[in-house]
Amino acid sequence: MSSKEKKKASRQDKKLLWIRIGFLTVTFIALFLLSCVVLLSVYQIRGKLYVCDLGYPVNPRDKNKPGVFDSLTLKEYDSVTKYLFKKTNLSLVTFSEAFPNCSYIYMIDLLLPLKDAVLEHLDLGNRQPERTAHVVIVRGDRSVRRVEEYHVGPLQRPSYHIKVTNPSYTKSNIPYNFKPVDDVEYKFLYRILRETSEVLYPLLYESYGLSYHNCTKNVDCIIFHDISPRGIREGERQSWFGAYRDVEGFYLHPLGLEMQLDHSSRDVRHWYVYRIVYNGHFAYSPENLMKRYTQGSIEKITLPFYEEKETSYSSLWRRGDREMERPLQGPKLVEPDGHRYRVDGMHLTYMKWNMNLKMRSSSGLQIFDIRFNDERIIYELSFQEVAIFYSGYGPLADLVNTYGNSYMLGATSSELIPGVDCPETSTFLDSDHFVNSEKPFRAKNTICIFEDHTNIPLRRHSSRDASGKFQSYGGLGNYKLIIRSISTIWNYDYIFDYIFYLNGALETKVSLSGYLHSAFPLYHEMRHGTLVHTNVVANIHQHLFHFKVDIDINGRINRYATIDFRTENTTRQWYSNAQKQQMTYETNTRLTEYDANYKTQPENHYDIIYNQYASSKFGSARSYRIVNNNKAKFLLKNSDVTQGASWAKFPLAISQLQETEVMSTSIYNGNGPWHPVVDFERFLQNNDTIRDRDLVAWVTMGLDKIPHTEDVPTITTVGSQVSFYLLPFNFFTECPSISSNSAVHISADKESNRVNVNTFGTPLTSSCIQKENKPSNFDGKIKPID
């Protein structure tokens, strides 16, 4: 090569080198900018710009076209109230201006149409049934005060109001004293407590360093809280109030001062302190107690209190040694492709499931028209009642027996906190109510919906060939959809979960948290409970939960049977003179309600609901099995105060559907448990046939509670859960989860000595960051409906 050619080649090499350097520089800059974009996008995510896909949509309710199960709209609430106030025969006054001797509206809720009409609408396309309201009116102006119930409709333009008495009620007239204590009464009851505390001020300050009527920054406050029922026999309206130190978790600060107020008169001027107990000493009036106190004839209490409120043993403020030097976030749910469920108003679709939600003001969440693969499994699944029965010595501990419906479980449902009560990925729904208020109101974020993974397979198997080499693996993660609400009844929080699985199974679970109900440790109190802190005893009690399951298996013509396990002694088939004991079973169809619910059944058995005329291709009756994991022995079934919970006698009861048997309890049972307005046991005593009928299953679960010191400050949900399942039993020809795209299949490739992994089109990697939904979004406010 000539020198000229060499110089030319050298120039080309240098040019090529500079091109390469330029290319690398541009590449570096591009990568740098890309990194900046990624970092910026992460920063923007934290600024509430989301990278993760939102997935299926969440659409608000169409308030102009409410569905058959939808709660009332603001326009419907308004139409009902305006119509009723025009009816002079009702003599209604507004709730805020009402006295106990007035007539006023206590509650308005949707009246669910008859099941026949609803199914004709849903299944046959008939016109939607007319929307009607169920209204509870307190008639304090009557010569004999009572509560009246009305049906008002049609809701677009009401033209009628019909006074009704449910045929399932034991009373044609609901006594006034059976109604829940509402704010109309409370405003006068707390006025009496304030006046009484002025008389007792020397005792309050000397005993506790507290006051009620004039507490200041220098003198801490007392808080009074009442219990139910309102007396010890029907007809009484006498409520016990206990005194507590007004700090976070006041439930664990009993002061040993309890007062019973008589508010049975229609004239509030005649309400008064009926009984008063201080440190176990009884008096009929605050004046008498103060006279004996100043004379020194009763033993005085001295309760020093030097703790800061934030560090009190009842506070939920963090305290104690840290478990890590630098706090780190725990694992969180991530939805890489967004929601895999759809929400349209109160209609919910998830995989092969779809259903409708409604929050009932009295008892909480109801779920209607639950279908799997577009086949109805359940018409109604709803919570009915929680009853808590205590034992104790002091007035409050002795008498407190709580029925949740009287406290409006739905209307007092808690606002749910993202990241704690529900995952941050959750969809939150509000609920609307008109109860114990002047106007309808909206409770924010009382329902959350989220998909979860149990981190255990729903099913799996790994197999090897005869030589022990890997052959194949198949598995499916246990994905599930959870619908959650939390109701707070004074001290306790009940977490209700309705859980839907990919295999067509459904779980209903209740988890318990909140504070213990406590009492001052009088000598005789100790035999009923545990000393959980200084001067604090928590008493033994039982929680009982009741659910309604209107189950429709392949239609409404169903039967109930038990498959009973038995043992038999037999000769082995293939050996002479060899004996063995083995298990066998037999199916016993129960023909009547009495046969189903009163006969002693073998301890080991299956409870199944099936359609005799719908068989699988293998000849088995298509069925669903009810599995109650927490059958409770009703410990106080012979007590007069527990008669309002006669349902607790039956871990599982089966009845023929009656449209009048809407609920197994009522809002009146809590204050009238001796002769309850709704006595569930009467549902069964007519002994209807349950052969080839529309059947309802009533499930009772229980939790016995002996308090212990680890329940302070609050009870943990671990070990405090009860649940029951509805499981397909020969309903499908194979497990329906086999169709899930979330499955993983791995097989050996003998030729390449590798494995083939198939995720059926579902990606397994993700680079997105989940949206933020923080507890700081909580505002705790009840808001007017838009």
Side-chain angles (χ1 to χ4, degrees):
M1 180 182 295
S2 66
S3 60
K4 191 175 182 179
E5 289 175 334
K6 288 181 179 179
K7 288 180 181 180
K8 185 177 180 181
S10 176
R11 284 196 299 270
Q12 289 177 342
D13 289 340
K14 288 179 180 180
K15 187 177 180 180
L16 184 60
L17 177 62
W18 280 109
I19 291 173
R20 290 174 178 172
I21 291 173
F23 177 79
L24 290 174
T25 301
V26 171
T27 302
F28 176 80
I29 292 172
L31 289 173
F32 175 78
L33 291 174
L34 181 60
S35 300
C36 290
V37 169
V38 172
L39 290 173
L40 180 60
S41 65
V42 172
Y43 175 79
Q44 288 176 330
I45 291 164
R46 293 173 181 166
K48 298 192 182 298
L49 294 176
Y50 309 135
V51 171
C52 283
D53 194 321
L54 295 178
Y56 289 133
V58 175
N59 299 316
R61 283 180 60 186
D62 184 349
K63 297 175 184 177
N64 295 318
K65 294 182 179 180
V68 68
F69 300 115
D70 285 354
S71 299
L72 302 189
T73 64
L74 175 60
K75 187 180 294 185
E76 290 174 329
Y77 281 127
D78 285 345
S79 68
V80 172
T81 53
K82 289 177 181 177
Y83 170 82
L84 290 175
F85 270 91
K86 291 179 181 178
K87 300 302 170 183
T88 57
N89 63 319
L90 294 177
S91 305
L92 293 177
V93 299
T94 60
F95 190 82
S96 61
E97 297 175 343
F99 281 69
N101 60 355
C102 296
S103 285
Y104 56 90
I105 297 172
Y106 175 69
M107 181 170 69
I108 304 175
D109 207 343
L110 175 72
L111 176 68
L112 194 69
L114 299 180
K115 184 176 179 180
D116 284 341
V118 174
L119 294 186
E120 287 174 1
H121 165 62
L122 295 177
D123 298 343
L124 302 179
N126 288 5
R127 184 178 178 181
Q128 179 175 317
E130 185 177 88
R131 284 175 63 80
T132 309
H134 178 79
V135 183
V136 177
I137 297 179
V138 176
R139 300 306 306 271
D141 60 339
R142 290 299 187 98
S143 57
V144 178
R145 293 185 298 167
R146 60 177 180 258
V147 179
E148 295 178 349
E149 297 185 345
Y150 289 85
H151 292 171
V152 180
L155 291 183
Q156 287 184 337
R157 289 188 176 181
S159 58
Y160 65 84
H161 63 292
I162 304 172
K163 183 178 177 296
V164 295
T165 299
N166 191 314
S168 70
Y169 285 4
T170 61
K171 300 175 184 298
S172 56
N173 290 314
I174 302 167
Y176 177 91
N177 289 338
F178 280 28
K179 79 174 186 68
V181 177
D182 54 33
D183 287 348
V184 171
E185 289 182 273
Y186 275 127
K187 63 185 177 184
F188 296 106
L189 288 169
Y190 278 100
R191 181 183 299 176
I192 294 173
L193 290 171
R194 182 180 179 85
E195 294 168 354
T196 302
S197 72
E198 293 186 45
V199 177
L200 297 178
Y201 179 73
L203 178 151
L204 300 177
Y205 188 74
E206 292 173 13
S207 299
Y208 316 117
L210 307 172
S211 70
Y212 182 69
H213 74 286
N214 63 344
C215 56
T216 63
K217 291 182 179 179
N218 297 322
V219 181
D220 286 339
C221 295
I222 285 175
I223 186 170
F224 285 99
H225 212 293
D226 58 326
I227 54 98
S228 61
R230 312 292 167 172
I232 60 172
R233 59 182 63 89
E234 185 173 333
E236 293 184 344
R237 195 72 168 174
Q238 299 166 340
S239 297
W240 278 98
F241 285 78
Y244 302 84
R245 191 179 300 275
D246 189 6
V247 295
E248 183 179 4
F250 70 86
Y251 319 92
L252 294 179
H253 293 267
L255 299 177
L257 175 66
E258 300 171 358
M259 290 184 281
Q260 188 178 31
L261 276 59
D262 188 315
H263 50 116
S264 55
S265 173
R266 68 173 61 244
D267 189 340
V268 297
R269 293 174 296 181
H270 297 156
W271 293 9
Y272 65 102
V273 176
Y274 182 56
R275 289 180 173 89
I276 187 167
V277 174
Y278 166 80
N279 197 21
H281 298 277
F282 175 82
Y284 278 111
S285 71
E287 291 80 9
N288 178 260
L289 176 64
M290 279 307 304
K291 180 180 179 181
R292 294 162 59 192
Y293 178 85
T294 55
Q295 291 174 343
S297 61
I298 61 177
E299 183 181 358
K300 297 182 180 181
I301 298 173
T302 302
L303 295 181
F305 188 74
Y306 304 110
E307 297 177 278
E308 294 293 331
K309 292 183 180 181
E310 289 79 9
T311 58
S312 165
Y313 60 87
S314 65
S315 171
L316 296 179
W317 191 264
R318 199 209 73 79
R319 56 187 176 272
D321 296 334
R322 294 181 181 271
E323 64 274 290
M324 61 181 73
E325 292 183 5
R326 181 170 64 90
L328 303 175
Q329 295 187 68
K332 295 183 178 182
L333 276 181
V334 175
E335 296 179 328
D337 299 315
H339 298 324
R340 302 201 299 177
Y341 56 86
R342 300 174 187 266
V343 181
D344 290 293
M346 299 298 282
H347 182 80
L348 176 61
T349 304
Y350 170 68
M351 304 301 180
K352 296 181 179 180
W353 291 102
N354 71 85
M355 65 210 72
N356 297 273
L357 311 181
K358 180 188 180 298
M359 183 70 84
R360 182 162 51 191
S361 294
S362 60
S363 62
L365 191 61
Q366 299 172 279
I367 308 181
F368 291 101
D369 195 25
I370 301 174
R371 304 185 187 212
F372 187 87
N373 204 20
D374 206 31
E375 187 171 6
R376 183 176 297 110
I377 306 296
I378 297 171
Y379 177 72
E380 178 187 353
L381 172 59
S382 60
F383 183 65
Q384 299 289 294
E385 182 68 284
V386 54
I388 312 106
F389 298 124
Y390 287 83
S391 294
Y393 173 75
L396 263 70
D398 175 39
L399 292 177
V400 59
N401 290 284
T402 303
Y403 290 79
N405 262 263
S406 297
Y407 290 85
M408 296 293 130
L409 286 161
T412 57
S413 293
S414 303
E415 180 175 343
L416 304 175
I417 309 302
V420 184
D421 293 330
C422 308
E424 295 175 351
T425 57
S426 301
T427 296
F428 291 88
L429 302 178
D430 303 334
S431 57
D432 298 342
H433 305 277
F434 193 134
V435 61
N436 193 28
S437 62
E438 180 89 4
K439 296 179 179 180
F441 60 89
R442 173 160 295 153
K444 179 183 176 184
N445 294 350
T446 54
I447 302 171
C448 72
I449 302 166
F450 59 96
E451 187 181 9
D452 199 1
H453 191 301
T454 61
N455 291 312
I456 190 171
L458 178 64
R459 50 178 172 78
R460 61 95 65 196
H461 182 67
S462 180
S463 62
R464 299 180 181 275
D465 61 20
S467 65
K469 293 181 179 179
F470 171 78
Q471 191 172 35
S472 67
Y473 166 86
L476 174 63
N478 194 5
Y479 296 98
K480 58 185 181 180
L481 186 79
I482 300 177
I483 306 169
R484 174 173 294 166
S485 67
I486 302 179
S487 294
T488 301
I489 305 177
W490 191 35
N491 55 314
Y492 275 118
D493 295 70
Y494 297 102
I495 304 169
F496 298 98
D497 285 345
Y498 300 88
I499 307 170
F500 299 85
Y501 294 93
L502 301 181
N503 65 336
L506 192 161
E507 179 185 7
T508 301
K509 182 167 69 174
V510 185
S511 304
L512 175 66
S513 188
Y515 285 92
L516 294 168
H517 174 70
S518 67
F520 193 75
L522 301 173
Y523 175 76
H524 295 288
E525 200 73 68
M526 301 305 299
R527 64 187 297 267
H528 300 289
T530 305
L531 197 67
V532 295
H533 206 271
T534 305
N535 294 317
V536 184
V537 62
N539 290 9
I540 187 173
H541 54 281
Q542 185 178 43
H543 301 260
L544 297 163
F545 307 94
H546 201 227
F547 287 84
K548 176 182 181 181
V549 188
D550 182 349
I551 189 167
D552 291 346
I553 302 302
N554 224 99
R556 300 171 62 184
I557 307 301
N558 290 168
R559 297 183 181 185
Y560 164 65
T562 58
I563 301 178
D564 303 325
F565 286 78
R566 305 196 183 280
T567 60
E568 64 178 9
N569 297 316
T570 184
T571 302
R572 294 188 183 274
Q573 184 69 27
W574 310 108
Y575 300 88
S576 60
N577 301 321
Q579 303 293 316
K580 73 168 183 176
Q581 185 181 51
Q582 65 182 5
M583 294 178 291
T584 185
Y585 68 89
E586 61 183 19
T587 301
N588 292 297
T589 300
R590 308 293 174 170
L591 302 179
T592 66
E593 292 173 338
Y594 188 91
D595 187 34
N597 304 307
Y598 286 85
K599 276 197 169 184
T600 302
Q601 297 173 352
E603 185 173 344
N604 290 16
H605 72 274
Y606 278 16
D607 296 291
I608 63 170
I609 305 291
Y610 68 101
N611 188 321
Q612 173 70 13
Y613 307 103
S615 300
S616 71
K617 70 177 184 180
F618 305 115
S620 300
R622 302 185 73 200
S623 313
Y624 256 73
R625 178 187 168 204
I626 302 172
V627 183
N628 186 347
N629 288 330
N630 298 93
K631 297 178 181 179
K633 183 176 182 181
F634 188 19
L635 299 174
L636 300 175
K637 61 184 177 181
N638 296 320
S639 169
D640 61 345
V641 80
T642 66
Q643 296 311 301
S646 61
W647 42 264
K649 298 177 182 179
F650 308 97
L652 175 65
I654 305 294
S655 70
Q656 183 187 137
L657 174 73
Q658 302 293 337
E659 293 284 8
T660 57
E661 295 173 356
V662 178
M663 294 186 67
S664 60
T665 184
S666 77
I667 63 174
Y668 315 109
N669 281 23
N671 291 324
W674 307 277
H675 300 94
V677 169
V678 174
D679 182 355
F680 173 77
E681 199 163 6
R682 290 178 44 155
F683 289 11
L684 312 176
Q685 288 175 349
N686 56 7
N687 201 25
D688 284 335
T689 179
I690 56 171
R691 179 186 174 96
D692 297 333
R693 293 294 189 273
D694 194 343
L695 302 183
V696 178
W698 309 85
V699 183
T700 299
M701 301 181 292
L703 184 68
D704 301 329
K705 184 66 179 178
I706 300 176
H708 49 89
T709 53
E710 292 81 8
D711 289 327
V712 176
T714 56
I715 298 163
T716 56
T717 56
V718 177
S720 302
Q721 299 177 330
V722 294
S723 66
F724 73 90
Y725 287 87
L726 293 169
L727 303 177
F729 189 75
N730 296 318
F731 191 85
F732 306 102
T733 55
E734 63 179 350
C735 181
S737 70
I738 196 66
S739 66
S740 175
N741 284 349
S742 298
V744 175
H745 189 274
I746 304 173
S747 59
D749 188 333
K750 296 181 180 179
E751 294 182 1
S752 63
N753 200 28
R754 296 181 178 179
V755 295
N756 298 318
V757 180
N758 194 335
T759 61
F760 305 100
T762 303
L764 295 182
T765 59
S766 173
S767 59
C768 78
I769 295 179
Q770 192 63 49
K771 67 179 182 181
E772 289 186 348
N773 197 355
K774 299 179 179 180
S776 58
N777 294 336
F778 175 83
D779 63 17
K781 296 179 181 178
I782 299 296
K783 301 179 179 179
I785 300 177
D786 299 329

